[in-house]
Amino acid sequence: MSYGKDVAVVEAFQRLARNIDIEFPERLATLMGIAHAHPATAALSSLEDFLWLDAEQAEREINEWLNPDDQQGRTFLPFAATGGGEPYCVVRLENGASGIAQVLHFAQPSPLTHADISSFVTREYVRVARDLSWLPPKADFSVALKSEVALIQGALLPADYALLEALFSRQCVAMNYQAGPRSLPKTVKAFISQEEEESLAARLRHPNPIEFEALRAWMR
């Protein structure tokens, strides 16, 4: 039996987690394994501005910025990043609260947005559902997105998977969309309105979204 890249990637992150004394969530391990076992299907490929890190990149991010010795009792395990380099991390705060968050640069306050990887991924797909305009054209967005979600079912809580399955079973239609209060409204293809997106996002948010900062040593 060959030693798959998916196993090697997960084990590298498990070692890194042990080194900084933080739990590597089982569902994140499952998700990461799926993503690297099926690179041709590009798991999570429809998420906007989401790039997987490898363990070497994650360790470099820790050494250069997120070292637990310098974070006042907070511990961060990066596993992905935005195109701008801001990492998505497993977070454990000094009071013991834990979850998933995007950690912002330059000491900007970052909220502990999600309790687990399942709610994080589900929220990101809800974001996709309200504006499909940035995705490559597809003959049937419903089929494509349901297939993508089915691939990662093992990493999702049953209720989150059922939510996404129902969401992408709807009809994809033209809806009004406004990115911000100063943005011009536009018409996009979507499964849900912005109002429903906001309602679902509130349901998926961490029950205690504490704000925190991640500081480099020279910022103190």
Side-chain angles (χ1 to χ4, degrees), residues 127-169:
R127 196 188 309 278
V128 171
R130 65 94 165 95
D131 177 14
L132 303 170
S133 61
W134 80 278
L135 293 176
K138 292 180 173 65
D140 192 329
F141 279 106
S142 179
V143 170
L145 287 164
K146 284 172 70 176
S147 296
E148 196 170 309
V149 170
L151 180 66
I152 62 167
Q153 181 177 359
L156 299 176
L157 291 165
D160 290 338
Y161 176 73
L163 186 157
L164 294 178
E165 173 74 10
L167 205 63
F168 295 128
S169 294

Side-chain angles (χ1 to χ4, degrees), residues 66-120:
L66 299 173
N67 193 312
D69 294 338
D70 194 46
Q71 294 300 331
Q72 299 180 319
R74 300 162 193 163
T75 307
F76 305 99
L77 176 64
F79 60 88
T82 66
E86 291 182 322
Y88 294 105
C89 297
V90 180
V91 177
R92 186 181 67 227
L93 299 180
E94 62 271 28
N95 66 355
S98 63
I100 305 295
Q102 181 184 349
V103 181
L104 302 178
H105 287 129
F106 307 116
Q108 298 179 75
S110 304
L112 187 61
T113 318
H114 297 285
D116 51 49
I117 194 66
S118 180
S119 60
F120 165 75

Side-chain angles (χ1 to χ4, degrees), residues 8-82:
V9 168
V10 170
E11 289 186 349
F13 270 92
Q14 289 171 332
R15 287 193 295 272
L16 182 57
R18 286 194 295 271
N19 289 343
I20 61 173
D21 190 28
I22 192 171
E23 181 182 355
F24 186 59
E26 184 177 342
R27 289 187 186 277
L28 177 55
T30 299
L31 182 63
M32 196 173 286
I34 293 168
H36 289 89
H38 303 277
T41 57
L44 308 190
S45 63
S46 293
L47 301 194
E48 188 173 4
D49 205 18
F50 178 91
L51 304 169
W52 287 108
L53 300 178
D54 61 33
E56 288 184 4
Q57 292 169 318
E59 186 171 18
R60 186 160 57 248
E61 193 78 17
I62 291 169
N63 291 337
E64 293 178 356
W65 176 23
L66 299 173
N67 193 312
D69 294 338
D70 194 46
Q71 294 300 331
Q72 299 180 319
R74 300 162 193 163
T75 307
F76 305 99
L77 176 64
F79 60 88
T82 66

Side-chain angles (χ1 to χ4, degrees), residues 165-188:
E165 173 74 10
L167 205 63
F168 295 128
S169 294
R170 298 185 186 185
Q171 186 177 2
C172 179
V173 298
M175 294 189 187
N176 290 329
Y177 172 71
Q178 188 172 8
R182 296 185 179 181
S183 302
L184 292 174
K186 61 180 181 178
T187 301
V188 300

Side-chain angles (χ1 to χ4, degrees), residues 185-207:
K186 61 180 181 178
T187 301
V188 300
K189 287 187 174 181
F191 290 93
I192 56 173
S193 67
Q194 285 186 273
E195 291 76 17
E196 186 172 1
E197 182 214 357
E198 291 170 4
S199 175
L200 290 172
R203 284 170 48 189
L204 294 164
R205 195 172 297 131
H206 197 294

